[in-house]
């Protein structure tokens, strides 16, 4: 059975890139453009992995990460943070909040897929 990935990304090009790449590797993908919808969509979709941007309008990926990890039904799902933030403090803060992986933009396709494979 194919693994399921929820992709939360407000940038349309990145959302399409991540979704197409994952689908090409056999994953079932649920794209989400607005972080405010992500927790509800995660409950409905039951993903094996959440891939999310950190810099988003309305709700940041950091805030969303805290919401996911505070939810008893969702906290077990691994989260891969994809971000343009490059500082060590940012990675430490995201990992402390519950991120299982951290991939900085611009991404390389091989590194992105390696991180996904490690988490699924």
């Amino acid at each position: 059975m194919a693994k399921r990935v929820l992709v939360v990304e407000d940038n349309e090009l990145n959302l399409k890139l991540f979704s197409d790449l994952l689908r090409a590797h056999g994953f079932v993908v649920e794209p989400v453009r607005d972080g405010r919808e992500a927790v509800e969509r995660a409950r409905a979709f039951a993903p094996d992995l959440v891939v999310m941007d950190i810099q988003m309008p309305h709700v940041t990926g950091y805030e969303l990460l805290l919401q996911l990890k505070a939810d008893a039904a969702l906290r077990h799902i691994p989260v891969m943070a994809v971000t343009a933030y490059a500082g060590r403090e940012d990675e430490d803060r995201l990992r402390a909040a519950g991120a299982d992986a951290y991939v900085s933009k611009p991404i390389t396709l091989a590194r992105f897929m390696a991180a996904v494979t490690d988490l699924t």
Side-chain angles (χ1 to χ4, degrees), residues 4-8 38-39 42 47-54 56 60-71 74-83 91 94-103 112 115-116 118-120:
R4 303 164 67 83
V5 181
L6 184 79
V7 179
V8 185
V39 172
D48 297 294
L49 173 65
V50 175
V51 174
M52 77 167 128
D53 185 22
I54 298 304
M56 294 185 292
T60 67
Y62 177 77
E63 293 164 336
L64 180 56
L65 180 58
L66 293 175
Q67 290 175 29
L68 289 170
K69 293 305 179 179
D71 188 306
L74 303 174
R75 71 174 51 129
H76 71 281
I77 301 168
V79 175
M80 184 169 92
V82 181
T83 181
E91 180 177 357
L94 291 167
R95 287 192 182 274
D100 298 280
Y102 177 93
V103 178
F112 178 87
V116 167
D118 286 348
L119 294 173
T120 54

Side-chain angles (χ1 to χ4, degrees), residues 2 7 9 12-14 18-19 25 29 34 39 44 47 50 52 65 68 71 74 88 90 96 107-108 112 114 120:
V7 179
E9 170 65 71
E12 191 69 36
L13 291 175
N14 286 339
F18 299 159
S19 297
H25 283 83
V29 178
D34 189 331
V39 172
V50 175
M52 77 167 128
L65 180 58
L68 289 170
D71 188 306
L74 303 174
R88 182 70 190 168
D90 296 313
I107 66 159
T108 65
F112 178 87
T120 54

Side-chain angles (χ1 to χ4, degrees), residues 19-60:
S19 297
D20 289 351
L21 182 61
L22 289 163
R23 286 183 184 117
H25 283 83
F27 291 90
V28 175
V29 178
E30 177 74 9
V32 178
R33 288 170 186 78
D34 189 331
R36 295 175 292 188
E37 301 172 10
V39 172
E40 182 179 321
R41 297 277 284 281
R43 285 188 191 116
F45 183 64
D48 297 294
L49 173 65
V50 175
V51 174
M52 77 167 128
D53 185 22
I54 298 304
Q55 289 182 282
M56 294 185 292
H58 311 298
V59 59
T60 67

